[in-house]
Structures are given as structure tokens and as C-alpha cells.
Amino acid sequence: MKNQGLISVRFALLLIAALATGMAASLGADDSPLDGFLQRIQSADDAVRMKARLEAPKHGAAAIDPLAKLMEGANREAAITARHALSGIVHHAGRPGAEAERAPCLAALVRLTHSSRGAFVRREALHLLGLIGGDAEVDAIAACLTESARQDGSNVQVGEAARLALERIPGEVAVRALQEAVAKVDEKRQPDLIFSLGKKGDMSAVEFLLASAKSSNDATRFASFQALAHLGAEVAVEPLRKILQRADDPLRARLFGEYLRLADELLETQSRSVPYAMYNFALRSAPHDYQRERALQRLCQRGDIASVPVLIRGLGDEAPRVSARALWLLDSLEGQAVFDHLFRGFEEASDAAKPAILRALAKSDAAASKDIIDRATGSENIDLKITALDLRGRVDPSLELLYLKTAREGSSSIRTAALRGYLSLAEKRLEDGGKAEALQMFAQGLQTGREADERRRALSGILKIGDPASIDLLAASLADPILSREAATGYIAFAAKIAETDVDRADEYLQAIVGGKFPPDLVVQAATVLRKIGRDPRRPALEKGFVLDWWLIGPMQDKGTAMADKFFPEERVRLKVVERIEARRYRWKKFERLSLDGKVNLILEFRRSQNVIAYAYTELESPIVQKVHLRIGSDDGVKCWVNGAKVHDNPGPRGYAVDQDIVPVDLVQGKNRILLKIGQGTVNWEFSLRVTDAAGKPVVLPGGP
Amino acid sequence: MGAASPNEKVITGHIGVGGMGTGHLNFFRDYCGAICDVDEAHLQRAALRIGRYVPLYKDFRDLLDQKDLDGVVIATPDHWHGVMAIWACEAGKDVYVQKPACKTIEEGRKMVEAAERCGRIVQVGSQGRSTHAAFESAAYIRNGMIGDVHEVDCWHYENPVGGFKPDGTPPANLDWDLWLGPARYVPYNPDRVHFNFRWMLDFGGGQIRDRGAHVMSVAFFIMNADHTGPVSVEATGTAPEKGLWDCPPKMDIKYSFKNPDWVMYWRQPGVKRMGRGFGALYKGSKGELVVGGGDGGTFSEQKARDFKIPDGGFVPYKSPGHEQNWVDCVRSRKKPIMHIESGHRVASLCILGNISYRLGRKLDWDPVKEQCVGDDEANRMLAYPNRAPWRI
């Protein structure tokens, strides 16, 4: 409490000093060139403003407050120039050897951080204080950090700017201010302050961080260890290890990352013993495979023969990425000694580790390991037997079910070999003419495969068999990031075969492709099959009332008034006639592109895509006189005529969305002529029109001509 | 899988699918296993481009949680590169990060450390090095054809002037807070996004960070300077007279190197050569060589194209293409052509040039300690504390 009181008094004195400096500056303004400078900063003449900005440093601290006022003013260019001028003054005062100039500037900046100032100016002042401020400014900055959040949230980013400034200002005073602020801010912000303490690299914060690492708040606890790891604080090793030994700690996985960081930091500053013990612990116990892989790499430098025993341990890791990395590191080692190490390791290893070591032996010296592999093909240890057979490129048909069981339930290091064996058996079965059994096996393989290559091999088998009755087996692979294309291609082919006997069922399958997120060429392929079997791929859009039978003409250049100007389609629509505007000829063209969402993309129709307009025309056949709603979406503006009468005008610009404008219109019985004019500034250019009743229910009308 | 073998397919997650990110999808279409962007419109457009199902994310932390991804391709605005690359390394992913590698010196050094400590392959997207022209030029110069190089004169056309729109409300498809991420808070303005970020010193840092990171990457490749930096940096420039964009349209920077002694100039606009908008002239004791461009479009002079490397001569790193080089290295675990140490050293040039310009003074630089000598303010600008919760 006593300290806090002292800090408050110091802060008050600082503010008085700062205010006095500002007042003096203001009092002297009439007699100085400052007024003229400030006038020029606000000039409408760009060159005058620029010149003033460059002379800002010579006005020094006196200009800071009035420039800050301009930064918040309505004159945008003046505000931008003022901000640059202010930065110029601060950078000039921050130059080496300019301590005398810096002090009044700092005082003026401190004054700008006061809560009576606007958030923008406060943030800017804090940022600049972070660049040139020192111990004397810390209290004022800390005050911004700890002020209560305002209801409108305007000072939240000010508080954050204050934290960042304190992170930048070197020295114990800033460290202490951050520590003191931790208790004053709400719980949510504490972890960020604690992390800043770690970033400052000041070991005086270690004791405080060790205490906060005991917090019951997980975010605070994590940030404390994170800060200690950044600092490379060896005293944090044991408390961290104790937590990591508790399997139920919710932070365990993330803290292992910090444990490794701490080990890395310690490795930079001291002997290997402590960090190596930490890496060894992580290799045994870290929950994520990439953390164990990282520990393995830190322990085993490539080419270091002494690391073989650790690598053998890595080979036994159940995660493929760890054993693969161990194998890669072993790859850099050559010679009889390595083989001997592995050989001994194989003999002494647990059953679980043996398959990976056998693989390493084969890689180390294929000829020398031949006998041991051959022996392993007869092993009782199924994982080892599968691995040995795999290394020999053989499969054992009597193990069919064990292959599948191991591929599903075995350790991850053996699953791949087991599935490889199982799929080889399936392929063999297919070669021997057992289509049905092979299909069953490929289906199991597709379901079991965890790696893309495995699933692809199984899928290829299903596609090779080519039985349309197996189409449902492909469904899951449609959403497989790696296989979806192959699966969708097969799906379409199978559906086309199904259509020979059951059009409705084929329609259902093909619509799934047409309406799904597939590449345009596949969608077109599915739509083509749909058309061949007499089904309209646009059906979902048509059923929603979208009009898709359009004739289009354009683009006409827009020099700023085209949406208001009257071009020939507004006077006459002659679909077969070549029209002219000066030398340029225009022809109506039928919109034939496949639109599944009801939208017409005009960029694809007319390549020219900037500052133009185009027209779209259709005829709707209404069986009765009726009132309907035309629901129009467009990018950019749109005009609409029904039977020659203008019914809607939205000049834009805007981005496209369905049903942006709802236009009630009367339709006559029989043919109704609809004309749209769609504007285009830049980027997207598209439109849609949907016909509904007043309640929004689609009204499906045949279009034409 | 992480440690992919030559036979295994590399699966990539793509963070940032605007202009550059979409370009990457052309190469990575078959590798892509996830896409992430803070702009829903970008996300949907990229998903269409991939043309098959892939998980879509707005928050890259969710993408990093996806276990089957071997690597991430980061093509966000610069201020995100460091956080994303470091967190990706810590999540066990290899990284292809667009250039410039980093926004600050501190961030770049941490990226190098993260790659090394986590054992990850990190390639920076200065693809000029992977062009045949860069190979030919490096072979020509490193085999002594123009003698000892004492000067590299880089040129580039000016930065644009603009940013006249007022601040506003971000569109519904864009998460502005996530777009800003670690950068210090500023209100939304359409002239800050998307590629417009490039024209503000606090965000993109101008052409020097964009094309400079290409031209100077090729220069460091040719000069064998990836492991070091200049001993002094002196920048001058003319600030734009109006608008929000504050990168100087015109700029001149002199970088001085020691052991060996040589200088490099970055000049905007400088003297245009080979009809190219940017490039570099290499001046040696026995002659000169112009290398036009520096990005995907890099061009060497005929004499370099005709040059045959003599037996026993220096053979530069030959890349099969920048993205392919990264994929190959993910499989082989070898160092890519523009690994993060090189990327950091090249980005350091851009960063120091801009700091010198902003401060209006020459910087004396210690390339070993990576500190300015005797300039506290400049040293504080070498790091840029991140907004919460983007800790590195």
C-alpha cells in the first residue's frame, strides 16, 4: 500500500510538470512560429502540409499537444499530417545524445495519455512512449493499464497499448509496474501482463512468476510457466516436471511445449545435463507425437553414433512420425557399430519395439539382416511377423483376418504394414476372380485406412471392380480431402450405369454431385449425365422460383451515367437483330451456362468487367393475371422493366446477395416481358431474379423465348 | 505424419488465401488438406478453386490442430508471418511462409530459433532464387566472371500514394480483429485491406518489403551473404504528401558490408535497366552484370546464360522450383534454398532500411548481435510487442 501511495504522488507530480510544460508551450505560441506551423499543417495544399511536416522536429515538445488536437479533428489530411509530424518530433528527440530535448517531449506525451484525451491520441502517445520513454514515464503508462474498463470499451485498446509500451521500456521500474498491475487488472488480462514480464528478459521477475504459477486460474498458471520458460529460469524445471507427471492436469499437453522451450533456453546457457534430462523425460512422456519427435531430435544430433541407444528408443515409439524420425536420424549413421547396436537393441527390445528395430536393421544393412528377418517371418509375435513379411514383400493368406485386426487395432507403427498386407491379399483375390470377396475387402480397407495412400489403394480396388451396386461405398470418400475427386468421378460413372435401370435413383446420386462442392468440370459431367437421362440439373434452383432463361446483351461502356442513360434495349428488344452503338455491334446471346444457384455471372459472359452495364431479357408465361414479387439480387446496381414499364431502380454500387430487392408487380395472362439492366464498377458482376408470391413462396413460371 | 518419406504425400494447410495464397493453390491444389482465411469471401473462393472437400477455418489455431497436415503455407499480410510460422513449428508442422519472412528483427530471429529447435523445414517465399536466371547469374558471378563485386545497385519503381477512404465498419465477411491479430490496434479502413496493407509502414512497409525481399534475396544468394548483414544502413526518402498510406514513394538506402567490403543500394526509382521495373546491377572489378526482376520473373543477361561452369567451379544451389523445393525438403529434411535464416537476413535489410527512414538517421548495425550500435530508440524498434493473445 505504501508503495502504491508513493507511485500515485509521483504520477501526480509528473502530470503537473507535464501540464506546466504544455501551458508554457501554449502561452508562448502567440510569439513563436508555432501558430504558422500549425496553420500550414492544416493547409489544403499538399505541398505546404508536407513542408510543415518536415519542419516539425524544430518545434519540439511545444507542438505535441496542438498536433494531438489536430489528429482528432475533422480535417482528415491535417490529422494524418499531424500524426506524422508528431512521430517526427518524437523520433528526432529519441536520437542518441538528445536527452535534453527528449525530457519535455516525454512530458508532453505523458499528458496525452491522460484519461480525458481521446482513445486514438492516447494509443498513439503510448506507442511513442514505448519507443523513447524511460523509468520516469512508467507510472503514467501503468495508470492507463490499470484503469477500469469503460462501458463503451473505448479504452480496452488503450490498456493494451500501455502493456505493449511497458514491454518495450527496459529496466526494473517497468518490470515492477507490470508486476504491480497484475493484481489490479481483471483476471482475464492478467496472463498477458505475466507473459510481458517473461518477454522483458529480466530475471528479477522470476520469484513473482513462480508465485503466480501456483494460481488456481489455468490461464494465469500457463502464462507464468510460459514466461519462466522464455526467461530460461532453471528453478521452474522441478515445479513444471511435477505438473507434467500428473496425467489429469488440463494444461499438461501445452505445458510440455513450454517445458521443451525451457530446455532449449537452458541448453543455450549451460551444460547439457539438465536440458538433456528434460528432453529424455519429454521423449518418454510428452503426450503429442510432435513433442516427442522434437525431444528426440534435440537429443540426437544427426551423425552422432552415441545417440543410437536413444534412437532405438525412438524406433519403439508408437507414433509413426517419431519412429520415422528416428529411422531418418539413423540413416545418417553407417558402419558395423550401428548395426551391432541395433542388433543388440533388437534382442533386448520389448515385443512392441521389435518391428520398428527390425525395419531399421533392414535399412542399415539389408544383406546382414536377411537371416534375422527370415526368422521373424515365423515369429509368434504377429506384429513382428507382419513386418518381416512386409520387408520381404510377401503376404500370408492365412493371416487375412489378423492383417485386418492389426490394421484396425494395432499400434500405429504396425498398422500401415498390416493394411498393406491386407490390401495385397484383396488384389490377389481380385486377380483370382473373387470379385465379391475382393470388393468386401477393399471396402474394409477403405474404412480402416488412416493414411491417404492406403485409402486411395482401397478405393482404386473398388473402382476397378466397377460394380454400380457398390456406389454407396464411395459416399464417405466424397468428403475425403484427398480422395473426393476420384470418388466423385467413380460416383458419376456408377450413377450413369444405374440410370440404365433406375432413373430416379441415378438422379438422386447425380444431384448430390451437382449440388455439392465439387470442381466445375465434375459438376458439368454430372449435369451432362442428368440431361442425358432427361433430368434438369437446375431443378433445385428452378423450384425456388429462380429465372434462368435469359438473353443477354452488352457490355456498354459506363462513363458515369450509364445507369441513367437510355440504351437501345430500353426502347426495343430484337433478339435476332445485330444492334449498333456507333461503330460497335451488339448481339443478344442466350444464357446457356449451367447455373445451379440461380445466379448469372456476367463476368463469365462478358470479359470486360470494369465500368460497364449490360441487359438481361426474358419472357415469363403466366397462366393467369396475378400479383407476384420479383426478388432481385445484383452486383452492382439494377433496373427492372416489366412489359415496358419501369418497376425498379437501385443504382448501387453493392455486393451481390439473393433477394436484395423485393419488387411487387402485376403479371398479365400469357407472355410477360422482363428486362433488367445491371451495372458494373469493379470486381464481381452478377445478378439473380426469383419470382415468388407475397409470402415468399416460389412461383415457377416457364421462361423464354 | 510430419516426417514424410519420399513416397509419402505431403499434406498442406493454407493460411491466407487472398492474392498470393490463391496463387499457391495452383501448385498445392493436390496437396491441400485445409484452408484458412479471416475473410469468408476468400475462403469460399479458395474452396471452389480446390474443387473438393477440405476443412475450412477462420482461425489458424484450428488449422494447426488438424493432425494430418504435414506443413502450412502462410500467405497472410506480413504482420502475421512470425506468429503463425512459430506456432506452426511448435505444432510440429513444416512451413512455407511468404516473403518478407518477418515484420521485426526479433520476430525473424525467433522464427529461426523455432525452426531449429522444433526441427522444422521453413522456406521463405522469395522464389526468385529458384529461377534458372538466378542460378545462371550466381554461377557467372561466383565463378569470378566480373571479378570481386564491390557494389550491388538495386532499383525499383516508386511506392504508390493513396488511402483516401474514411475509416468504417468492416464488412460482415471479414473478422477485423483477427485480421489485425498481433498488430497494434487501428480501426478498419478499406484502404488498409487486403493488399493495401503493403503501403503502410506499420503493416506492409512498401515495395522494399515486397519486391525488395525478392531483389535482395537474389543479391544475398549471389553474394553468399545469407549468414550476415550490413554494418551500417542509411536511408532517405520523400514521404507521400497525402493519404493514409505512408510508405515513401521515393527512397534511397545504402547498406555497407564488411569482410568482404561491398555496398548495396536500394533506390526507388533508381535507374531502370533491361526494361524491367526492378532488378539489380552487380558491379565488379572486372565487369558488370544486370539481373532483371527478382521474383518469379528473374532475367539474366545473355553472357550469364551462355556461361558454362568450369570443372571444379562453383555450382550454386539448384532448385526445381520454389514450392517444389520446399516439398522435396519436407520429404528429405534437407535445407531449402530460401530457408528461414536467409529469409530473416534478407527481411532484416528491409526492416532496417525502413527504421532508418522513419528515424531520419543512419544506423550502425552489429550483424552478429543483431543490434544497432548506440541508438536505444532504433533498438526498441527491432521488436514490436504483439497484441494479446499472440505471444511469441
Side-chain angles (χ1 to χ4, degrees):
Chain A
M1 286 301 288
K2 195 178 167 190
N3 274 349
Q4 280 179 10
L6 274 175
I7 286 169
S8 304
V9 171
R10 271 170 55 198
F11 179 42
L13 288 171
L14 202 64
L15 263 181
I16 290 166
L19 285 165
T21 312
M23 281 165 64
S26 302
L27 284 172
D30 288 344
D31 304 317
S32 75
L34 186 61
D35 267 350
F37 162 72
L38 294 169
Q39 287 299 325
R40 291 197 299 283
I41 287 283
Q42 299 171 72
S43 169
D45 185 325
D46 298 336
V48 172
R49 272 200 323 278
M50 172 53 68
K51 205 171 162 199
R53 171 183 161 179
L54 295 176
E55 74 176 62
K58 81 175 184 197
H59 296 282
I64 288 180
D65 195 58
L67 284 172
K69 286 195 178 87
L70 291 179
M71 281 164 59
E72 295 183 298
N75 182 340
R76 186 167 185 267
E77 286 301 336
I80 291 171
T81 311
R83 179 174 165 255
H84 289 312
L86 175 57
S87 299
I89 291 170
V90 170
H91 293 325
H92 190 67
R95 71 191 188 280
E99 288 75 12
E101 284 172 61
R102 201 173 305 148
C105 286
L106 286 167
L109 287 175
V110 163
R111 194 150 52 94
L112 299 185
T113 67
H114 191 259
S115 60
S116 60
R117 306 303 296 250
F120 168 45
V121 162
R122 296 179 78 198
R123 287 199 313 268
E124 202 61 24
L126 286 163
H127 170 70
L128 294 169
L129 281 168
L131 295 178
I132 64 166
D135 290 353
E137 287 69 49
V138 165
D139 289 345
I141 299 170
C144 299
L145 190 63
T146 55
E147 73 185 30
S148 316
R150 289 186 193 154
Q151 266 193 337
D152 64 359
S154 62
N155 62 344
V156 171
Q157 295 297 344
V158 172
E160 184 63 350
R163 180 178 72 86
L164 304 186
L166 286 180
E167 200 172 303
R168 257 184 170 156
I169 294 175
E172 280 184 30
V173 177
V175 172
R176 209 167 51 242
L178 277 167
Q179 283 179 201
E180 286 168 4
V182 170
K184 295 178 192 168
V185 301
D186 64 66
E187 204 176 53
K188 230 172 98 183
R189 292 177 62 207
Q190 285 177 357
D192 299 320
L193 266 64
I194 286 169
F195 179 73
S196 288
L197 278 169
K199 277 295 294 284
K200 293 186 72 63
D202 190 324
M203 296 303 277
S204 68
V206 167
E207 205 175 319
F208 175 86
L209 292 169
L210 281 172
S212 63
K214 291 175 185 157
S215 167
S216 57
N217 178 303
D218 277 349
T220 301
R221 196 158 60 97
F222 178 74
S224 303
F225 279 120
Q226 201 174 25
L228 286 162
H230 270 83
L231 286 171
E234 192 180 345
V235 287
V237 173
E238 272 319 299
L240 251 178
R241 190 197 297 263
K242 278 183 187 155
I243 292 174
L244 299 178
Q245 280 166 340
R246 291 206 303 264
D248 60 341
D249 193 291
L251 293 179
R252 185 168 177 264
R254 290 175 68 204
L255 282 176
F256 252 112
E258 297 312 313
Y259 188 70
L260 287 166
R261 185 197 305 278
L262 179 55
D264 292 338
E265 293 293 339
L266 292 173
L267 195 60
E268 304 275 324
T269 56
Q270 54 171 264
S271 69
R272 288 175 167 193
S273 61
V274 173
Y276 268 45
M278 294 170 78
Y279 293 133
N280 265 307
F281 176 63
L283 180 59
R284 277 196 309 275
S285 314
H288 287 308
D289 53 3
Y290 58 81
Q291 291 170 334
R292 298 198 299 279
E293 181 197 23
R294 178 174 165 184
L296 181 78
Q297 288 188 135
R298 298 298 272 171
L299 285 166
C300 307
Q301 297 303 310
R302 205 163 148 81
D304 179 6
I305 192 101
S307 61
V308 173
V310 181
L311 290 173
I312 289 175
R313 199 140 51 86
L315 285 175
D317 194 289
E318 73 131 27
R321 75 180 291 155
V322 183
S323 50
R325 183 51 50 92
L327 209 53
W328 178 77
L329 287 161
L330 271 170
D331 224 20
S332 65
L333 303 171
E334 285 177 354
Q336 189 62 35
V338 177
F339 186 83
D340 292 347
H341 264 299
L342 286 168
F343 192 84
R344 273 199 307 277
F346 180 78
E347 296 299 335
E348 292 160 11
S350 65
D351 275 3
K354 275 191 158 81
I357 301 174
L358 186 69
R359 219 169 260 288
L361 274 166
K363 208 167 177 191
S364 172
D365 190 335
S369 55
K370 186 176 175 297
D371 287 349
I372 196 167
I373 293 171
D374 283 344
R375 270 206 311 279
T377 57
S379 171
E380 295 288 311
N381 176 347
I382 292 300
D383 287 0
L384 186 62
K385 183 172 182 152
I386 288 173
T387 304
L389 287 167
D390 190 46
L391 286 168
R392 281 276 162 270
R394 283 164 37 200
V395 281
D396 181 348
S398 71
L399 295 180
E400 181 181 316
L401 291 177
L402 280 172
Y403 273 123
L404 184 60
K405 189 169 185 289
T406 308
R408 280 180 181 158
E409 300 164 13
S411 68
S412 53
S413 57
I414 187 70
R415 281 196 298 252
T416 302
L419 188 57
R420 196 159 39 227
Y422 186 70
L423 291 173
S424 296
L425 284 178
E427 283 157 0
K428 195 163 183 321
R429 192 66 57 84
L430 183 58
E431 274 172 29
D432 296 343
K435 269 192 182 182
E437 296 94 330
L439 184 64
Q440 202 62 27
M441 290 176 77
F442 285 127
Q444 299 281 7
L446 188 61
Q447 219 174 33
T448 307
R450 297 175 198 221
E451 302 300 326
D453 288 346
E454 298 166 355
R455 294 197 302 278
R456 176 174 286 122
R457 191 171 166 191
L459 178 67
S460 300
I462 294 171
L463 296 175
K464 197 171 173 189
I465 292 168
D467 178 1
S470 64
I471 188 167
D472 291 330
L473 293 176
L474 307 183
S477 302
L478 293 178
D480 184 318
I482 305 298
L483 302 187
S484 73
R485 187 176 182 90
E486 284 157 270
T489 307
Y491 205 76
I492 295 166
F494 284 6
K497 279 190 193 168
I498 289 168
E500 291 167 10
T501 53
D502 188 343
V503 173
D504 286 344
R505 197 160 153 246
D507 178 75
E508 208 176 297
Y509 287 123
L510 292 164
Q511 288 289 358
I513 302 293
V514 168
K517 288 179 178 171
F518 293 95
D521 61 320
L522 285 178
V523 170
V524 169
Q525 211 178 314
T528 308
V529 178
L530 273 169
R531 280 181 172 141
K532 267 189 195 160
I533 63 174
R535 299 294 168 96
D536 190 342
R538 303 172 308 163
R539 194 179 69 215
L542 295 170
E543 283 172 356
K544 287 179 192 157
F546 281 104
V547 175
L548 289 169
D549 294 306
W550 293 103
W551 287 79
L552 308 169
I553 198 162
M556 289 87 172
Q557 200 180 349
D558 182 1
K559 291 179 179 166
T561 58
M563 282 305 280
D565 296 343
K566 194 179 269 192
F567 294 89
F568 59 83
E570 294 176 38
E571 291 170 347
R572 58 183 188 273
V573 174
R574 299 183 299 183
L575 299 177
K576 306 284 178 186
V577 175
V578 177
E579 305 277 4
R580 278 181 184 276
I581 298 177
E582 296 170 353
R584 180 154 183 193
R585 288 185 293 185
Y586 291 86
R587 286 187 182 86
W588 286 95
K589 63 172 179 175
K590 184 107 174 77
F591 172 62
E592 288 179 321
R593 207 172 292 272
L594 181 64
S595 170
L596 299 167
D597 54 4
K599 193 167 68 179
V600 177
N601 185 339
L602 293 169
I603 298 272
L604 299 176
E605 301 299 322
F606 306 112
R607 284 183 190 162
R608 185 167 168 193
S609 61
Q610 286 203 0
N611 303 320
V612 287
I613 60 110
Y615 289 88
Y617 176 76
T618 190
E619 292 171 359
L620 298 179
E621 198 69 28
S622 176
I624 51 168
V625 173
Q626 59 178 328
K627 281 185 188 299
V628 295
H629 281 182
L630 300 184
R631 293 169 181 258
I632 305 171
S634 68
D635 180 342
D636 287 302
V638 65
K639 271 185 175 181
C640 177
W641 292 262
V642 175
N643 296 326
K646 188 167 84 179
V647 295
H648 182 61
D649 185 353
N650 186 330
R654 64 178 178 182
Y656 169 84
V658 177
D659 297 354
Q660 284 166 308
D661 304 329
I662 299 177
V663 187
V665 297
D666 294 312
L667 296 185
V668 299
Q669 186 179 16
K671 186 168 80 175
N672 289 271
R673 290 171 291 116
I674 313 286
L675 179 70
L676 297 180
K677 180 180 191 177
I678 308 100
Q680 160 67 341
T682 56
V683 198
N684 297 334
W685 189 21
E686 52 208 2
F687 76 93
S688 67
L689 184 146
R690 211 157 73 86
V691 186
T692 71
D693 64 13
K697 193 176 158 203
V699 175
V700 180
L701 299 173
Chain B
M1 270 291 290
S5 78
N7 299 322
E8 284 164 350
K9 183 155 182 137
V10 173
I11 305 177
T12 52
H14 294 256
I15 311 174
V17 282
M20 272 318 296
T22 304
H24 284 312
L25 290 178
N26 290 334
F27 177 87
F28 286 107
R29 190 177 309 214
D30 291 340
Y31 297 81
C32 175
I35 307 174
C36 173
D37 201 292
V38 297
D39 188 329
E40 178 68 23
H42 286 186
L43 207 50
Q44 293 303 335
R45 191 185 58 196
L48 278 176
R49 203 177 185 89
I50 291 299
R52 57 184 159 78
Y53 167 80
V54 290
L56 306 179
Y57 304 104
K58 185 172 85 172
D59 189 327
F60 80 99
R61 288 170 291 192
D62 295 327
L63 180 140
L64 293 185
D65 283 342
Q66 190 177 316
K67 288 203 180 306
D68 65 348
L69 302 178
D70 300 294
V72 295
V73 178
I74 301 167
T76 59
D78 306 358
H79 60 276
W80 264 118
H81 291 178
V83 174
M84 287 173 172
I86 291 167
W87 288 21
C89 286
E90 289 173 354
K93 318 283 190 208
D94 294 319
V95 176
Y96 183 108
V97 59
Q98 255 310 327
K99 41 72 5 209
C102 49
K103 190 180 156 197
T104 68
I105 304 290
E106 181 210 38
E107 199 176 79
R109 182 47 57 200
K110 280 179 180 289
M111 289 166 85
V112 172
E113 285 173 3
E116 190 187 320
R117 291 173 173 187
C118 302
R120 305 325 312 171
I121 301 296
V122 181
Q123 167 99 301
V124 177
S126 296
Q127 74 270 35
R129 286 186 176 207
S130 286
T131 61
H132 192 62
F135 174 85
E136 289 164 343
S137 305
Y140 189 76
I141 290 176
R142 294 286 295 281
N143 283 294
M145 297 305 288
I146 62 169
D148 293 333
V149 178
H150 56 83
E151 183 181 319
V152 179
D153 185 8
C154 310
W155 78 91
H156 195 289
Y157 56 82
E158 298 176 13
N159 283 318
V161 175
F164 303 120
K165 292 178 186 149
D167 293 345
T169 310
N173 51 297
L174 177 70
D175 187 325
W176 176 241
D177 192 58
L178 212 45
W179 188 92
L180 276 177
R184 71 180 172 120
Y185 176 80
V186 287
Y188 170 78
N189 186 303
D191 277 339
R192 289 190 202 278
V193 295
H194 284 289
F195 190 68
N196 294 328
F197 82 91
R198 178 59 71 210
W199 315 123
M200 282 160 291
L201 286 165
D202 272 351
F203 289 87
Q207 293 285 16
I208 188 173
R209 287 176 56 82
D210 190 7
R211 294 272 184 43
H214 281 304
V215 176
M216 294 196 270
S217 160
V218 172
F220 261 33
F221 180 60
I222 290 174
M223 296 298 291
N224 190 27
D226 278 351
H227 56 288
T228 186
V231 294
S232 71
V233 181
E234 188 169 14
T236 55
T238 54
E241 290 185 344
K242 57 187 173 181
L244 185 67
W245 300 346
D246 60 355
C247 292
K250 292 184 178 171
M251 198 177 200
D252 276 292
I253 308 176
K254 179 183 179 184
Y255 300 94
S256 302
F257 294 81
K258 283 274 173 209
N259 300 322
D261 294 359
W262 59 289
V263 291
M264 180 160 71
Y265 293 97
W266 170 259
R267 300 185 204 271
Q268 280 182 267
V271 179
K272 190 172 171 179
R273 301 174 181 95
M274 285 175 94
R276 305 280 161 194
F278 55 99
L281 167 67
Y282 295 77
K283 297 182 185 175
S285 53
K286 293 197 297 191
E288 296 182 347
L289 183 77
V290 178
V291 181
D295 55 6
T298 301
F299 307 88
S300 50
E301 286 187 81
Q302 190 63 44
K303 58 189 176 189
R305 291 205 288 275
D306 294 341
F307 176 69
K308 299 273 178 284
I309 299 172
D311 287 345
F314 174 77
V315 182
Y317 191 136
K318 181 84 181 90
S319 158
H322 212 56
E323 290 146 322
Q324 186 61 52
N325 172 245
W326 178 68
V327 169
D328 291 349
C329 292
V330 167
R331 288 175 174 143
S332 69
R333 313 310 294 172
K334 288 182 180 158
K335 217 175 222 185
I337 191 165
M338 186 62 180
H339 59 91
I340 183 62
E341 175 72 32
S342 314
H344 162 59
R345 291 291 187 172
V346 170
S348 297
L349 297 172
C350 316
I351 293 163
L352 292 170
N354 274 343
I355 293 177
S356 174
Y357 162 73
R358 289 180 99 152
L359 295 180
R361 54 185 181 259
K362 180 182 174 184
L363 306 177
D364 291 317
W365 179 246
D366 181 336
V368 178
K369 291 181 183 160
E370 295 190 306
Q371 287 280 301
C372 294
V373 181
D375 192 331
D376 181 48
E377 187 187 10
N379 277 329
R380 290 197 204 179
M381 292 172 90
L382 303 179
Y384 213 122
N386 286 352
R387 276 200 318 152
W390 310 109
R391 302 173 192 164
I392 57 166

